[in-house]
Amino acid sequence: MMQASRGGFCWTLLLLSCALWQTFSQDFGGQTQFICTSVPKDVDICAATLQNSVPGDDLKTTVMQLRETVLQQKETIINQKETIRELTSKLARCESQSGVEPGDARPGGRRKESGTKNTMGDVSRGPADTLAQLSQTLQSLKQRLENLEQFSRSNSSVQANSLKDLLQSKINDLEKQVLSRVNSIEEGKPGLRNETEQRGRVESTLTSLHQRITDLEKGQRESRPLDKFQLTFPLRTNYMYAKVKKSLPEMYALTVCMWLKSNASPGVGTPFSYAVPGQANELVLIEWGNNPMEILINDKVAKLPFLINDGKWHHICVTWTTRDGVWEAFQDGVKRGSGENLAPYHPIKPQGLLILGQEQDTYGGGFDATQAFVGDLANFHIWDKKLSVEEIYNLATCSSKAQVGNVFAWMETSLDIYGGASKWTFEACRQLN
């Protein structure tokens, strides 16, 4: 009776096993087969089944190995989940510190705040370039403060002096930060602060300084003539520029003159560019890379014999007539060169856009930081005629007979300034070098 009961139980177990294997086969999509084996009537079904499959010790070993594998996989999954949680937490902290919204995928990892100018430029730089730009910015701020100091000596104001002292203190702090950064780079310390976070703090401080110095300079503007000013472009960026409010008329001859001061290398950049719809290089003055300064008219080029990137003020003029494309170049009141066949019989087109400090690759835009003007610019004038040698000499020597441009005359109210370019007092021939 016990044998019959045991045999029935084994048959039941065998049928359940078959059902389970069929289920597993369907779940995993495997190409499996179920094989039935005949067993003599008087043989123990369970024993025969085990004998035909896996010996007892081997089966036990296999089960233990499977159990161990499952436990290892479970442990691995738990560890991976913990790692994911830690990375997520670190990422959230980094985004919080650097000002990035979760899910913000902008290159560089920083969110650009509305209404805030990036004083360090749009192109990411290495440590050496960043330090060079910081040094130039600090030097520009110092120069502007020295000008404010001269103004305050002649116009004593306790409030202006106290604010000037505060700004000087902040600049000193910035210089210390730059010096610390230099030391860290030279010593090769691995524990440098996060580049993006540090750059963000410096940019914020510089923007604040620019704004507060500009506020101080507004006090000067009220007491100076509207033409006694200069534009300063301290950095080679693609966002610092001035836009002339009015366009140019059609011109069959022209003279363009200005004072320039720059020690930028290679090339001082683009003092001005005039673009019209369909022609971005209608009238351009540019010194780019290791090339000499050039004037472009209707995208035709003439090389100019100017040498001005010595950090001193220079007065330059270029004259041109559409007849035979004849041009002349003057530096500091002296004729330095001439030529012809520069866009002959092509009048300068009207209804364009005149930009100071940037070269337009497209009408009103397409600025390239490598072509930007770096330095100081003043007394920019344009005439629709060719000035004589004597008239140009009067301009260069600040004679009382000097003319102002009849197409464009240098006035603060004629310009809109963008991107951190600054204006401060300048009087030609009294502040030279």
Side-chain angles (χ1 to χ4, degrees):
M1 186 68 176
M2 287 292 293
Q3 180 70 23
S5 175
R6 184 179 179 186
F9 171 77
C10 289
W11 274 112
T12 302
L13 180 61
L14 183 59
L15 291 174
L16 285 173
S17 299
C18 292
L20 286 173
W21 277 112
Q22 286 178 334
T23 301
F24 291 156
S25 174
Q26 292 173 358
D27 289 346
F28 291 100
Q31 300 297 322
T32 59
Q33 292 181 342
F34 180 68
I35 301 175
C36 295
T37 303
S38 60
V39 179
K41 182 177 180 181
D42 57 347
V43 174
D44 190 317
I45 296 177
C46 290
T49 303
L50 292 176
Q51 183 178 359
N52 291 333
S53 57
V54 183
D57 292 341
D58 292 343
L59 180 61
K60 182 177 180 181
T61 301
T62 302
V63 171
M64 292 300 294
Q65 289 176 348
L66 288 173
R67 183 174 181 275
E68 185 177 353
T69 301
V70 171
L71 291 175
Q72 289 176 351
Q73 291 178 348
K74 182 178 179 181
E75 184 178 356
T76 301
I77 292 173
I78 293 174
N79 291 337
Q80 289 176 345
K81 286 183 178 180
E82 184 64 27
T83 302
I84 292 172
R85 279 196 295 269
E86 290 178 1
L87 291 175
T88 303
S89 177
K90 288 180 180 179
L91 179 60
R93 287 198 298 271
C94 290
E95 289 173 341
S96 175
Q97 292 173 359
S98 59
V100 178
E101 293 287 354
D104 193 344
R106 286 187 178 90
R110 292 182 65 250
R111 181 183 59 193
K112 186 172 183 181
E113 300 292 343
S114 59
T116 302
K117 286 292 182 184
N118 176 3
T119 60
M120 302 299 290
D122 294 341
V123 183
S124 60
R125 305 181 177 89
D129 292 335
T130 301
L131 291 173
Q133 295 287 12
L134 282 173
S135 298
Q136 293 178 21
T137 303
L138 292 172
Q139 186 61 35
S140 171
L141 292 173
K142 278 187 171 182
Q143 191 174 21
R144 293 168 68 184
L145 279 175
E146 289 173 3
N147 184 68
L148 289 171
E149 189 175 18
Q150 293 176 1
F151 176 78
S152 64
R153 278 200 292 265
S154 58
N155 300 272
S156 58
S157 170
V158 176
Q159 184 177 5
N161 286 335
S162 62
L163 185 53
K164 178 182 69 64
D165 293 340
L166 176 60
L167 292 173
Q168 183 64 60
S169 174
K170 285 195 173 185
I171 287 180
N172 291 338
D173 290 341
L174 271 177
E175 285 185 318
K176 291 178 182 178
Q177 290 183 30
V178 174
L179 181 60
S180 174
R181 181 75 181 276
V182 171
N183 292 335
S184 298
I185 292 174
E186 289 178 347
E187 295 172 6
K189 292 182 179 179
L192 288 176
R193 294 181 180 178
N194 179 273
E195 177 81 14
T196 301
E197 182 180 353
Q198 185 177 12
R199 176 173 166 178
R201 285 197 298 270
V202 173
E203 286 177 1
S204 177
T205 304
L206 289 177
T207 300
S208 175
L209 285 173
H210 276 297
Q211 183 59 49
R212 300 187 72 173
I213 291 177
T214 300
D215 291 342
L216 277 178
E217 291 169 338
K218 286 180 180 177
Q220 297 183 51
R221 208 168 297 143
E222 297 174 356
S223 61
R224 73 181 180 215
L226 291 177
D227 63 335
K228 306 298 184 185
F229 75 101
Q230 71 179 51
L231 282 179
T232 297
F233 302 90
L235 302 176
R236 200 182 291 277
T237 73
N238 63 354
Y239 55 80
M240 283 189 185
Y241 66 99
K243 182 173 71 173
V244 174
K245 294 181 180 179
K246 59 180 285 188
S247 181
L248 303 183
E250 185 175 54
M251 293 185 291
Y252 293 84
L254 70 85
T255 299
V256 56
C257 297
M258 72 201 77
W259 286 95
L260 290 178
K261 179 183 178 182
S262 178
N263 59 0
S265 179
V268 302
T270 308
F272 77 90
S273 65
Y274 176 69
V276 296
Q279 179 53 272
N281 295 328
E282 184 67 11
L283 177 61
V284 181
L285 184 66
I286 183 172
E287 185 182 80
W288 184 31
N290 295 315
N291 300 313
M293 183 166 281
E294 300 172 337
I295 186 167
L296 286 74
I297 297 179
N298 192 33
D299 212 20
K300 306 301 186 294
V301 182
K303 298 185 183 299
L304 305 177
F306 292 150
L307 296 174
I308 60 172
N309 63 335
D310 55 2
K312 298 179 180 180
W313 281 105
H314 293 283
H315 186 266
I316 64 171
C317 284
V318 179
T319 67
W320 171 84
T321 61
T322 185
R323 183 175 180 178
D324 296 325
V326 176
W327 61 270
E328 294 178 332
F330 296 79
Q331 180 174 326
D332 299 325
V334 179
K335 183 177 176 179
R336 296 295 179 90
S338 62
E340 59 183 17
N341 202 35
L342 175 60
Y345 305 103
H346 170 83
I348 303 296
K349 295 180 180 178
Q351 305 304 317
L353 187 60
L354 181 58
I355 297 291
L356 306 182
Q358 295 285 350
E359 197 274 331
Q360 304 174 66
D361 284 338
T362 59
Y363 178 76
F367 302 153
D368 183 347
T370 63
Q371 298 175 331
F373 175 70
V374 179
D376 303 316
L377 185 153
N379 290 31
F380 180 83
H381 293 273
I382 299 178
W383 295 261
D384 59 359
K385 61 181 181 179
K386 177 182 177 181
L387 294 188
S388 67
V389 173
E390 182 181 358
E391 288 171 329
I392 290 174
Y393 182 79
N394 289 338
L395 287 166
T397 56
C398 304
S399 169
S400 58
K401 299 179 181 180
Q403 303 181 32
V404 297
N406 67 339
V407 171
F408 176 78
W410 186 246
M411 299 284 285
E412 286 194 60
T413 53
S414 300
L415 300 170
D416 289 325
I417 313 286
Y418 299 93
S422 59
K423 293 188 290 188
W424 50 287
T425 302
F426 171 80
E427 195 165 352
C429 297
R430 292 188 181 181
Q431 294 181 228
L432 298 185
N433 310 321

